[in-house]
Amino acid sequence: MIAVPTLGGLGEKDQSKIDNSIRTVMGNIKKRTLGSGKHAIQVTALGLGCMGMSWHRTFIPDRQPMIALIRKAYDMGVNFFDTAEAYGPWRNEELVGEAIQSFRKNIILCSKFGFNIQNGQLSGLNSSPTHIREVVEQSLKRLKTDYIDLLYQHRIDPNVPIEDVAGTVKDLIKEGKVLHFGLSEADPANIRKAHAVQPVTALQTEYSIISRDAERDILDTCEQLGIGFVAYSPIARALLSGYINPLTKFDPDNDNRDTLPRYTPEAITANWPFIEAIQDFGNSRGLTATQVSLAWLLAQKPWIVPIPGTTKQAHLQENLWAIDYEFTPDELKVFTDTIGKIRIVGARN
């Protein structure tokens, strides 16, 4: 909970009421719905991506500050938390599981399956029904829970029919170990085939103001089927924040950005006019580049939910304030047209 000095003469019950009241005020975050009908879930307009707290970043913080950050996010009203067995591997689920114990029943907890993991390393895809069940059982233990609210297939496995994957998750839902089914980085054909077996609540795919591949046909597919969209890397792995520059060094042993074409010094330099355009828009409106980027995503569809990751409380607050900004139709069109004319250098992956 938020640290509040105890007022003289107040007992523990009175202090608890004050703490709860503060959380109610701070926790009044706008909500969005992912999915439709009985397969829908209501989540905060921004979730918290927890991957970078344990994996794929040059600097991995100490465990306790990250537990505190997850709890702070909950205190500030966030109810949507994203992890996966692959993150670490395993370490991130363990971290999240410890952090959420006191409020587990009040949140939407997401995890993923889909990889072989040997000697602590990812070693190819595996979405066989037997493996899915094994992963879920282990994830439940690491997360210290008896159900996962939203379970994603992390990547499509070409060796396993998507109908078999969806059927296995459907059985897990019947057993109460999973509540909702999701896909990640799936194409329209697989989305439709999976959805016919077990309705898909959400598709998670990279989407940001600089990575707009999802606009080609994925968003239309989701809208037609009533599937929510969860945008990962909505700040393009910090690129859109303006904090990354051509001199930024990524640890080649730990940070996946070191392998991505858009994060070379040359690409960052070439793309700097894009960052400046975002900063220019935000400067006159009292917004940071990060907030502009998140607000732009939220303005695209009412069923899109970004899950920015962070390891810093200041950035957590910065991200959440983006929810309050609403583009007017005219400024959204002008801004989108402006950035759409800027050539982007380097593929996203």
Side-chain angles (χ1 to χ4, degrees):
M1 297 297 293
I2 301 169
V4 179
T6 303
L7 301 179
L10 291 181
E12 290 184 5
K13 289 185 178 179
D14 292 324
Q15 185 63 42
S16 177
K17 289 180 181 179
I18 292 174
D19 288 345
N20 288 334
S21 296
I22 291 174
R23 185 185 184 280
T24 298
V25 172
M26 294 187 67
N28 189 24
I29 296 178
K30 295 175 183 176
K31 303 294 194 301
R32 293 194 163 197
T33 299
L34 298 173
S36 54
K38 66 179 182 180
H39 306 289
I41 52 177
Q42 190 175 63
V43 300
T44 43
L46 287 183
L48 180 61
C50 299
M51 182 196 77
M53 299 177 185
S54 307
W55 195 54
H56 260 353
R57 292 296 174 260
T58 293
F59 176 74
I60 303 299
D62 292 339
R63 182 183 179 87
Q64 287 306 314
M66 295 303 94
I67 289 175
L69 179 62
I70 291 170
R71 292 173 178 170
K72 174 64 74 173
Y74 174 73
D75 284 339
M76 296 173 74
V78 176
N79 80 341
F80 193 39
F81 296 84
D82 185 88
T83 184
E85 62 146 0
Y87 301 161
W90 306 312
R91 294 194 307 271
N92 199 247
E93 281 189 327
E94 293 169 350
L95 170 73
V96 173
E98 180 176 347
I100 65 172
Q101 283 308 290
S102 64
F103 49 82
R104 167 66 188 100
K105 301 297 183 181
N106 301 331
I107 64 170
I108 301 297
L109 178 61
C110 312
S111 195
K112 309 174 188 73
F113 64 86
F115 289 100
N116 277 318
I117 301 175
Q118 296 180 351
N119 300 318
Q121 300 293 324
L122 304 189
S123 59
L125 299 171
N126 188 347
S127 284
S128 69
T130 299
H131 186 67
I132 293 172
R133 285 188 164 276
E134 291 173 350
V135 170
V136 168
E137 292 299 331
Q138 293 302 312
S139 290
L140 291 173
K141 291 177 182 178
R142 286 188 290 268
L143 293 166
K144 302 180 188 299
T145 186
D146 53 4
Y147 68 95
I148 297 169
D149 294 275
L150 177 57
L151 181 69
Y152 296 98
Q153 182 187 30
H154 212 148
R155 292 292 185 271
I156 296 295
D157 185 345
N159 297 315
V160 180
I162 192 65
E163 294 89 347
D164 292 350
V165 173
T168 302
V169 176
K170 183 174 185 176
D171 290 341
L172 288 166
I173 291 173
K174 290 178 181 178
E175 296 166 20
K177 295 177 180 178
V178 173
L179 301 188
H180 301 279
F181 178 36
L183 297 172
S184 181
E185 292 285 356
D187 60 86
N190 277 306
I191 294 170
R192 291 181 183 280
K193 287 188 287 186
H195 191 70
V197 176
Q198 170 60 42
V200 177
T201 292
L203 174 73
Q204 183 176 139
T205 291
E206 181 171 353
Y207 184 31
S208 70
I209 201 169
I210 200 172
S211 298
R212 298 171 62 179
D213 293 349
E215 294 177 354
R216 295 174 185 168
D217 49 17
I218 296 297
L219 292 182
D220 285 345
T221 301
C222 288
E223 190 157 34
Q224 291 167 13
L225 299 177
I227 297 172
F229 188 96
V230 176
Y232 79 79
S233 295
I235 315 170
R237 302 172 182 86
L239 182 63
L240 298 177
S241 70
Y243 293 128
I244 291 178
N245 61 62
L247 298 179
T248 301
K249 302 295 183 183
F250 302 115
D251 184 341
D253 295 325
N254 299 307
D255 199 320
N256 69 332
R257 289 173 292 189
D258 188 63
T259 67
L260 303 177
R262 195 168 288 167
Y263 298 82
T264 65
E266 296 77 16
I268 293 171
T269 299
N271 290 325
W272 204 252
F274 192 91
I275 308 301
E276 288 181 330
I278 298 173
Q279 292 173 332
D280 288 345
F281 180 88
N283 286 339
S284 61
R285 294 164 175 81
L287 301 172
T288 66
T290 292
Q291 290 169 334
V292 173
S293 300
L294 292 173
W296 181 88
L297 267 180
L298 290 169
Q300 300 310 301
K301 299 288 183 180
W303 36 267
I304 290 177
V305 177
I307 51 168
T310 185
T311 59
K312 297 177 177 63
Q313 290 192 15
H315 291 170
L316 172 65
Q317 179 67 82
E318 177 185 2
N319 295 344
L320 293 177
W321 275 338
I323 298 172
D324 295 329
Y325 185 78
E326 295 184 5
F327 283 82
T328 66
D330 286 344
E331 69 180 357
L332 180 62
K333 182 181 186 306
V334 170
F335 177 61
T336 304
D337 288 347
T338 298
I339 60 172
K341 296 174 183 176
I342 302 174
R343 177 175 173 266
I344 305 302
V345 175
R348 71 178 176 97
N349 53 29

